[in-house]
Amino acid sequence: MKSGLIVYLTGGAELPEGFDLLSHCREMGFTADRVELVGSRQGFYEVNDAWHYLFTKGYGDIKLLVAQADQNCLQPVHPPVRLSG
């Protein structure tokens, strides 16, 4: 089963252009085949839109990570939550 991770950015933060979200999440120890971003100005606007996108693309194991962006890095606010799978 393919796994997906949704990263929800808090506080209206943005990631710098060219930021490799998938590689950064893997460096933090989160394994996923695909990572989608939910933010106020980047990626999807709502978590359910990102979840629906991953689900319709065949990703069965989907987790949500709430994080803060801080100068080219992400800081998880809580451990990831399983949304499906």
Side-chain angles (χ1 to χ4, degrees), residues 12-82:
E14 291 185 36
L15 296 177
E17 190 172 323
F19 186 84
D20 189 353
L21 187 58
L22 179 60
S23 294
H24 192 74
C25 287
R26 287 183 177 164
E27 288 173 10
M28 292 190 309
F30 303 113
T31 57
D33 296 313
R34 184 174 182 118
V35 177
E36 294 297 334
L37 179 66
V38 175
S40 61
R41 296 179 206 121
Q42 294 175 306
F44 288 94
Y45 188 68
E46 294 185 5
V47 171
N48 63 340
D49 291 336
W51 177 85
H52 184 263
Y53 176 79
L54 288 171
F55 187 75
T56 58
K57 296 294 182 186
Y59 293 85
D61 180 25
I62 302 172
K63 293 181 181 158
L64 171 67
L65 176 67
V66 178
Q68 296 174 338
D70 183 32
Q71 297 182 355
N72 294 335
C73 83
L74 290 175
Q75 297 297 327
V77 176
H78 300 284
V81 176
R82 182 175 50 157

